[in-house]
Amino acid sequence: MAVTRFDDYKGKYKHLKLERDEDGILLVTIHTDGAEVYWGTDVHDNLSSVWGDIGKDPENKVVILTGAGETFIDREVPIPDKSWITPEIWLKLHADAKRLVLDHLEIEVPMIAAINGPARVHSEQALLCDISIASEDTVFGDHPHFSVGVVPGDGMQVIWPAVIGLNRARYMLLTGVEIDAQKALEWGAVNEVVPKDQVVPRAYELARQIAKQPQLTLRTTRMLMLTELKKVMLHGVSHGLMTEGLVAIGTGWQPTKVEESA
């Protein structure tokens, strides 16, 4: 397997701050200009690429994923280009979106989501982690899909049923209902809810405990736990994205900004 080193990629990504300590714990903070992230193609490209770099670095022992500022991932940037989505455009989006999800699952060391606030956009990035710690003000939703006429085919239709059950997931994705931190804990989407200023420290506490295990144990355990999810996601995200693209092209859907939360 090709190997990467931290120095090769730690400063490579505009929207990701990467910090690794002496215990091999890698903190990945998603941001826009150092503050809370506004999701767009650049952020999408950064994340879909960094998972490959992280996965090929043998010195990573645990990965923590969090957001900058007050939110995890909660807003999207306006897209100025209103041209029609073509099959050629969607084919590239399809490839990038698959990497965003599947390369996340290819990382062989345990991953912890430190969900530091609302996560109404691409919440699958948190849910794909092995452990999820949420702040008390966390809110989950799926703003970019069904509620605006878009098929939730990028993995949301796979991961939400996996973590909260099929009936609850269908209800959430079809109605646009939002789930607060306590409901997410009750339904099994997160493992712990803590005060906002304790989200990352708690993630580090768990990461240090986990990182004490031998490398072989760390890597083979995550690989083993994800075997079935990877099978389902491989089929689901490829088929789902093609369905999403078919509907987008067929309906003439145009991407719009997800409005800021009140």
Side-chain angles (χ1 to χ4, degrees), residues 8-262:
D8 297 332
Y9 63 89
K10 68 178 180 181
K12 181 178 175 181
Y13 298 103
K14 178 181 178 181
H15 294 284
L16 303 174
K17 183 179 181 181
L18 304 176
E19 305 166 88
R20 189 169 69 196
D21 65 15
E22 65 278 2
D23 295 321
I25 300 169
L26 175 63
L27 177 65
V28 180
T29 305
I30 314 169
H31 68 89
T32 296
D33 297 328
E36 60 189 64
V37 68
Y38 278 72
W39 187 271
T41 55
D42 288 348
V43 181
H44 189 289
D45 289 347
N46 277 194
L47 268 181
S48 63
S49 296
V50 77
W51 296 140
D53 284 336
I54 291 172
K56 291 181 287 187
D57 186 343
E59 296 182 9
N60 291 322
K61 292 186 176 180
V62 182
V63 178
I64 299 173
L65 175 65
T66 193
E70 299 299 311
T71 68
F72 183 72
I73 308 173
D74 199 49
R75 297 174 174 87
E76 289 186 307
V77 297
I79 301 177
D81 182 10
K82 298 295 183 179
S83 62
W84 291 81
I85 295 177
T86 66
E88 290 77 16
I89 290 172
W90 195 264
L91 192 61
K92 182 182 184 305
L93 291 173
H94 176 270
D96 290 344
K98 281 200 304 180
R99 286 193 296 120
L100 180 66
V101 175
L102 297 177
D103 282 2
H104 190 305
L105 293 175
E106 285 297 326
I107 293 174
E108 295 180 351
V109 297
M111 298 185 68
I112 301 172
I115 309 166
N116 59 306
R120 298 179 176 95
V121 178
H122 279 284
S123 57
E124 87 285 343
Q125 291 299 298
L127 300 180
L128 290 171
C129 293
D130 306 295
I131 297 172
S132 296
I133 310 299
S135 64
E136 294 169 331
D137 67 337
T138 291
V139 178
F140 290 102
D142 187 29
H143 280 192
H145 291 114
F146 193 81
S147 61
V148 293
V150 181
V151 175
D154 60 355
M156 297 291 282
Q157 85 284 12
V158 176
I159 194 60
W160 274 106
V163 298
I164 66 173
L166 180 59
N167 280 353
R168 288 170 174 169
R170 288 185 293 186
Y171 173 68
M172 174 188 171
L173 295 175
L174 290 173
T175 66
V177 68
E178 295 185 348
I179 302 173
D180 64 20
Q182 287 302 322
K183 183 64 73 176
L185 180 64
E186 177 188 335
W187 283 6
V190 302
N191 303 108
E192 297 181 15
V193 176
V194 300
K196 197 176 187 72
D197 63 354
Q198 292 302 306
V199 173
V200 174
R202 176 56 177 157
Y204 265 104
E205 182 180 0
L206 291 170
R208 292 189 184 99
Q209 174 187 330
I210 292 168
K212 293 177 182 178
Q213 298 299 330
Q215 275 276 42
L216 281 175
T217 303
L218 290 173
R219 291 181 174 272
T220 54
T221 299
R222 185 169 202 250
M223 290 166 60
L224 184 63
M225 290 192 300
L226 289 181
T227 299
E228 294 305 315
L229 179 58
K230 286 166 69 172
K231 290 178 185 177
V232 176
M233 189 65 78
L234 178 63
H235 176 266
V237 76
S238 183
H239 177 69
L241 283 164
M242 282 303 188
T243 303
E244 186 174 331
L246 176 67
V247 173
I249 295 167
T251 60
W253 168 78
Q254 298 296 341
T256 55
K257 181 183 179 182
V258 173
E259 295 298 328
E260 294 187 9
S261 306

